[in-house]
Amino acid sequence: MNKIVVIFFVGILIFSCGSKKRVVHKRQDNRTNTEQKDNMNTPTNVPKVTTKTYANATEKYIDTFKEIAQEEMRLYNIPASITLAQGILESGSGNGRLSVEANNHFGIKCHNWTGDKIYHDDDEKGECFRKYHDAKYSYRDHSLFLTMRSRYSKLFTLKKGDYKGWAKELRAAGYATDKKYPQKLISLIERYNLHEYDKEVLGHETYHKEVEHNHVNGDENQMANNEEHVVSKGDTLYSISRKYNLTVEELQNMNGLRNTNIGIGQVLKVK
């Protein structure tokens, strides 16, 4: 009888151990299968997403639009440094209303524009400005604006590495009425090293040759500029004659004018 009892308990023990082993084995398989599925669903060699930080809005603006400005330089021969500096100044580093709501970074007005429009107070209340679907089209219009208007033709006689000359001639041609406009552009270019983008387009050797040429001919160019006056907003023949110690009649005779009508961007001889 005792043997039967012992055999009975031994059998229960063996059966219990076998069951546990099967259960444990099954759990291990389940865990292994789950891990395999996870590994199959996890992509390999995923690049880490990094968010670039900027010291200020201007640095972010430059990084965003520098390549567009360089492409415009290759196509239209306008220094990228000048385009970027104008964009920064006129769009408030991309934070102005026209740039935010209309992607218009250069304050280009409607004129004969047939596309979308936005109305904004500028020289007058509620003026019409062009609205773009993408800011790059604003950059293209800026290039076309300068290349297709005769009053800016003198800009394209300047070297592409001469950002100082471009800044001064833009104001002289009537692009801006602010007397400090050239200094503002030059300050932005030098503070943020925007001329480096010109150098990348031109190549280091060409760029340095142009810079040396500008230094040599700087005094001659200044003398030539003193012999002409580019009409800007608010100018009259009388105010110009006073500025250069001339009479209105002398000014008319020097420029073949029959009346006192003059236009912004018009070049007048004053010597």
Side-chain angles (χ1 to χ4, degrees):
M1 186 66 182
N2 291 334
K3 290 182 178 179
I4 294 172
V5 172
V6 170
I7 292 170
F8 175 75
F9 280 109
V10 170
I12 292 174
L13 181 61
I14 292 171
F15 178 79
S16 175
C17 290
S19 299
K20 288 181 179 179
K21 287 181 180 179
R22 283 195 296 273
V23 171
V24 171
H25 181 69
K26 186 174 182 180
R27 287 178 180 172
Q28 289 175 341
D29 287 345
N30 287 341
R31 186 170 63 251
T32 302
N33 289 337
T34 302
E35 289 173 354
Q36 289 175 346
K37 288 179 181 179
D38 288 342
N39 290 335
M40 290 174 63
N41 293 330
T42 303
T44 58
N45 299 324
V46 177
K48 294 182 179 180
V49 178
T50 56
T51 303
K52 195 168 184 178
T53 57
Y54 301 94
N56 51 52
T58 301
E59 286 192 2
K60 182 178 180 180
Y61 184 93
I62 294 166
D63 196 41
T64 303
F65 296 105
K66 62 186 180 183
E67 292 180 1
I68 294 176
Q70 287 180 306
E71 181 63 16
E72 294 302 305
M73 181 176 180
R74 294 184 186 97
L75 293 173
Y76 295 97
N77 297 318
I78 302 168
S81 59
I82 286 291
T83 302
L84 283 170
Q86 286 188 283
I88 293 166
L89 191 60
E90 295 176 38
S91 74
S93 296
N95 293 317
R97 178 174 178 257
L98 287 177
S99 57
V100 172
E101 298 183 21
N103 285 315
N104 190 333
H105 287 233
F106 299 92
I108 299 178
K109 297 181 181 179
C110 288
H111 302 299
N112 298 320
W113 179 251
T114 57
D116 294 335
K117 304 175 179 67
I118 186 173
Y119 295 90
H120 181 74
D121 295 346
D122 191 48
D123 295 328
E124 297 178 7
K125 188 174 182 179
E127 290 190 272
C128 182
F129 290 85
R130 301 182 182 189
K131 186 175 183 180
Y132 305 93
H133 297 295
D134 191 296
K136 66 182 179 181
Y137 300 118
S138 173
Y139 273 71
R140 177 56 49 84
D141 251 9
H142 171 264
S143 298
L144 295 174
F145 183 84
L146 294 181
T147 55
M148 297 179 70
R149 285 166 172 75
S150 59
R151 74 183 192 184
Y152 297 115
S153 60
K154 192 173 179 180
L155 285 167
F156 298 93
T157 66
L158 301 173
K159 298 292 184 180
K160 293 186 286 293
D162 183 14
Y163 63 85
K164 291 182 180 179
W166 274 76
K168 293 172 184 176
E169 183 57 33
L170 273 169
R171 200 267 169 182
Y175 189 95
T177 57
D178 183 357
K179 292 182 179 180
K180 295 183 179 180
Y181 189 76
Q183 287 72 30
K184 289 178 180 179
L185 293 182
I186 293 168
S187 176
L188 284 169
I189 291 169
E190 295 181 346
R191 186 187 314 164
Y192 293 100
N193 294 317
L194 302 183
H195 45 76
E196 291 296 324
Y197 301 117
D198 300 338
K199 191 184 298 184
E200 288 178 9
V201 175
L202 292 172
H204 288 259
E205 185 176 349
T206 302
Y207 178 83
H208 287 298
K209 282 182 180 179
E210 290 195 357
V211 170
E212 289 173 5
H213 175 84
N214 296 335
H215 287 315
V216 170
N217 294 284
D219 292 338
E220 294 178 5
N221 291 336
Q222 185 62 42
M223 289 177 64
N225 289 337
N226 288 338
E227 295 177 358
E228 296 178 342
H229 177 88
V230 180
V231 178
S232 59
K233 187 176 180 180
D235 278 347
T236 64
L237 276 187
Y238 178 72
S239 66
I240 297 170
S241 66
R242 289 286 300 274
K243 181 176 181 179
Y244 296 99
N245 296 318
L246 299 169
T247 66
V248 172
E249 185 177 0
E250 286 174 333
L251 202 53
Q252 287 176 311
N253 291 336
M254 290 169 65
N255 292 278
L257 300 176
R258 297 182 180 180
N259 52 45
T260 58
N261 296 331
I262 54 175
I264 294 175
Q266 183 176 352
V267 179
L268 298 176
K269 294 179 182 178
V270 291
K271 281 190 179 181

